[in-house]
Every structure is written in C-alpha cells, then in structure tokens.
Amino acid sequence: MSRKLSRWTQLVQPDFSQKTSLKSLTTPVERASTVVFDTVEKLRKRDWLDKNQYTYGLLGTPTTRKLEEQLAMIDGVPHAMLLPSGLSAISTTLLALLKSGDRVLMPSNSYEPGLTFLRSLQSQFHVELDFYDPAHPENLVIKENTKLLWIETPGSVTMEVADLPALAKIAHAHGVLVAIDATWAAGIALPAFELGADIVIQALTKYQSGGSDVMMGSITVESDSIYQQLREMQIKLGLGVSPEDCHLILRSLPHYPLRYRVQDQSARTIAAKLQQQPLIEAVLHPALPGAPGHNIWARDFSAAASLFSIVFKPEITQVQIDRFVESLQLFHLGFSWGGAVSLAIPYLRNQMHAGYAYEGCLVRFYIGLEDTQDLITDLEQAFQTLDN
Ligand SMILES: *Cc1c(COP(=O)(O)O)cnc(C)c1O
C-alpha cells in the first residue's frame, strides 16, 4: 500500500507480529477469539484437535495450553483439558462417554450436582444409573451394558474411602471405563492413574486455584482415543476457559503442594483434638488412625486434604449445631474450599445419602492457612455454646 495509513487505521492494526523480548518468569496472559492464518491453505487444513496448532480462542491460547501441559505433567499422562468448572468437567465426561441404554455405576456418596446431571441423562436419554457401595467392591454388579464406573474418594461430605485398585480391576476385567473425581487428592495425594483410573477429574477451583476466586475444572487422560472423544464433546458444547483464570492458577501451582501439606498437618492436629471432644460421635478424617477408611487411605494415599467432617452425638439437635457453626469466628460459612480461609458447613440429617451410618448430624470443616492453635481455640469457644 503506497498511501500512508490514517492514524485511526494504525490504531486498529498495529504490528501484531512484534513479539516481546521481555524475559520474565511468568506465563503471559494471551487472549484470543480470532486466530489469524498465514494462508488460505493453512486455514482450510486446520485441525481443531491438534494441540500444536492455534485455530480459535475457544480451543486454546498459549496460556491455556501451558496450564493443560502442567496438569498432564502432574498426573504423568499425555492429555489434559480445561473446563469452566469442576462440575462441567464431570458433565462433559458423562455426556462424552455415555449413550442411550448405557449403564453407569455411581457411588451414592458422590458430589451431588454431578449426580443431579446424571439423573437428567437418565430421564432424558435413558442412561441407566445404579448405585454401588464403594467400601465393598466385591458387591459390584457389572452387566452387559455397563459402560462406566464412577469413583469419588473420599466421598463428598461423608468421606468414605473407595478401594480404587480393587474397583478398577473388576471394571477393567469387563471392559468398563473407570472415571474418578480426585478433587480431594488434588493430583498430590493419590496416584490415580497408577491405581487404575482411566479418566481423572479435578475441581481446580479448590487447592489449584487457592484463592477462593477462580472456577475451573480439568480432565486428564492417558488414552488418545478417550481424549479425542472428550475433546470433541467439549468443542461441541462450546466450553472454554479464560486465559486470565489460567494465569491465576499457573501463578498458584508452584506453591499449592506446600499449602496442601501444611494444611494437611494443621487439619490432622485439629481432627485429632476433635476426637477427644465428648459431644462428637465420630471424626470422619481418613488419615486419622481408627477412622473409617483409614487402612485403604494409608495403603493408597500419601497425604490428605484439609477437608473432613465430624458427626455430633445424636442428642445434639440441629438447632444447637447451627448455633455452634454460627458462633465460630474464624471459620466462615460457605461452599467450595481450597483457599486460605477456613470454612464450616452443617448438613441436615435428611441430606445424607443412603449409606450414611450415623444418627447424628454432620459438620464439614475445611482447614485453611490460619494458625492451628487459633482455629482450635475458636472451636473450643464454639463448643461452649452447646453446654447451655
Ligand atoms: C467442588 C467440587 C466439584 C465441583 O467443582 P466446581 O468447580 O465448584 O464446579 C466437584 N467434585 C468435587 C469432589 C468437589 O469438591
């Protein structure tokens, strides 16, 4: 073009090809919807599934790809994909792998919104849903149309530990896929793929974010063909994540193993203290010797999340428990976990799943990064509200 471009055109089209020479120690935020191709041939030959190409913002930028690489590296598998929440990682997996008439085996203690999605697949698309007891893999009933075995360990809220190797062995003997929601272990505490998982789901919203301010989920897989199936479903659903959110998680990842381990120690100290509290029937923390699921936990896990539950004695009423939770000063009342701040949630007896073995009501604690003794003192003052 001979004519000098107007200032307004130059505003619209600066030299995009200029690359920075800045050598920083961060992964930059690279945003895109449109991705420009050099030639018509390259545009026509684009491959949506090729991880070495950039074709459209929804399908990844260098920032989102970097996070995928790191997550695949943590799990020691070739493939990771990002979804806008832990729940969408669950629903995308179910939708990608199941068709009408297929049967899924689900533990009754799994994350409730995932179960709700599966129930809608059951009523809308005639996917068959059966529940199994994760503590008794020998009772597993595999039928001709069983396609997928779902595992969550420990179970949401009630913390039963599943025998992953035994369950996976039975499933694989029948050609059934094993998907595990391993959010509690966070890629740190459980070698899920080594123990038999085919697909691992994480709510990155938790420890990997660490800031109580990002929603994201991931799916990691070993198999190329399962990866392709999942990726195609993600693309069909149009599910992508923000590079800014990926940047926040990339910033948190170097220290999340440290946070996980420090919080684990704090939570175990607090849980052991609570075991001595006379108003408590049971402390559901699998890393505590004598707690339900401890033996399987000790065999398969190398650490524990700082998330556990307590069961009150049956004579303690829900009203008293609500008052107990509201009188906590350092523990806040809210969903999700994985950030710096400690949380507590009371559950009603009729919210508990069929396998819940106790009479009393339950409170789930998330132990954050506060000083352990401050948290113990806070719990002690809250227990005093139950005395009168
Ligand atoms: C939080 C959580 C999820 C859902 O994650 P979101 O990002 O909140 O959608 C799924 N499974 C487990 C076990 C969780 O703790």
Side-chain angles (χ1 to χ4, degrees), residues 85-87 90 111 152 156 181 183 203 205-206 215-216 336-337:
S85 63
L87 179 57
I90 295 171
Y111 180 69
E152 184 179 329
S156 267
D181 180 339
T183 298
T205 308
K206 309 291 168 53
M215 303 291 307
M216 204 180 294
S336 204
W337 40 276

Side-chain angles (χ1 to χ4, degrees), residues 81 159 168 229 257 276 379:
M81 45 191 278
M159 303 287 155
Q229 237 179 309
Q276 298 159 11
L379 287 163

Side-chain angles (χ1 to χ4, degrees), residues 34-309:
T34 300
V35 171
V36 175
F37 298 88
D38 295 334
T39 63
V40 173
E41 193 195 0
K42 282 185 185 162
L43 180 140
R44 290 201 178 122
K45 282 194 171 160
R46 76 193 176 278
D47 177 359
W48 302 119
L49 295 171
D50 182 353
K51 284 193 253 181
N52 299 313
Q53 292 184 20
Y54 297 106
T55 53
Y56 192 55
L58 186 70
L59 309 180
T61 76
T63 318
T64 66
R65 296 272 168 87
K66 178 57 81 186
L67 179 53
E68 287 175 349
E69 275 170 31
Q70 294 291 69
L71 296 170
M73 183 274 296
I74 292 170
D75 280 351
V77 294
H79 306 294
M81 45 191 278
L82 303 170
L83 285 305
S85 63
L87 179 57
S88 64
I90 295 171
S91 51
T92 302
T93 303
L94 293 171
L95 211 46
L97 299 178
L98 297 170
K99 61 179 186 336
S100 193
D102 284 346
R103 181 166 173 268
V104 193
L105 284 170
M106 209 60 190
S108 55
N109 58 3
S110 68
Y111 180 69
E112 184 64 33
L115 261 183
T116 305
F117 181 76
L118 200 48
R119 288 212 171 85
S120 71
L121 288 187
Q122 187 184 27
S123 60
Q124 290 180 22
F125 304 112
H126 309 294
V127 165
E128 289 177 27
L129 168 59
D130 270 332
F131 291 100
Y132 72 92
D133 179 354
H136 293 283
E138 68 280 5
N139 297 343
L140 213 59
V141 180
I142 309 266
K143 294 183 187 162
E144 191 69 16
N145 63 341
T146 305
K147 183 69 196 290
L148 183 67
L149 174 74
W150 195 271
I151 297 176
E152 184 179 329
T153 185
S156 267
V157 187
T158 45
M159 303 287 155
E160 297 86 354
V161 185
D163 191 339
L164 169 59
L167 289 165
K169 199 167 161 214
I170 299 169
H172 290 156
H174 294 84
V176 171
L177 287 173
V178 176
I180 175 169
D181 180 339
T183 298
W184 191 85
I188 292 173
L190 178 75
F193 285 101
E194 278 173 38
L195 297 180
D198 299 303
I199 299 145
V200 173
I201 280 103
Q202 297 276 348
L204 305 176
T205 308
K206 309 291 168 53
Y207 287 105
Q208 289 88 338
S209 148
S212 308
D213 56 0
V214 181
M215 303 291 307
M216 204 180 294
S218 68
I219 309 172
T220 41
V221 268
E222 174 104 61
S223 146
D224 295 344
S225 64
I226 299 172
Y227 169 73
Q228 182 157 339
Q229 237 179 309
L230 292 166
R231 188 59 122 187
E232 280 173 0
M233 181 53 72
Q234 176 194 21
I235 295 171
K236 281 186 243 182
L237 293 170
L239 299 175
V241 298
S242 144
E244 266 90 358
D245 288 349
C246 292
H247 177 79
L248 288 172
I249 292 177
L250 282 163
R251 200 170 186 278
S252 155
L253 282 187
H255 13 89
Y256 99 101
L258 301 179
R259 278 186 272 114
Y260 192 93
R261 287 180 195 285
V262 168
Q263 290 173 252
D264 178 6
Q265 287 315 315
S266 185
R268 286 195 218 189
T269 304
I270 292 167
K273 198 94 187 158
L274 290 172
Q275 267 181 329
Q276 298 159 11
Q277 170 43 253
L279 301 174
I280 291 177
E281 176 92 50
V283 177
L284 308 179
H285 188 318
L288 287 190
H294 176 71
N295 292 344
I296 297 176
W297 175 86
R299 185 193 66 193
D300 294 346
F301 288 75
S302 60
S306 61
L307 185 81
F308 66 93
S309 298

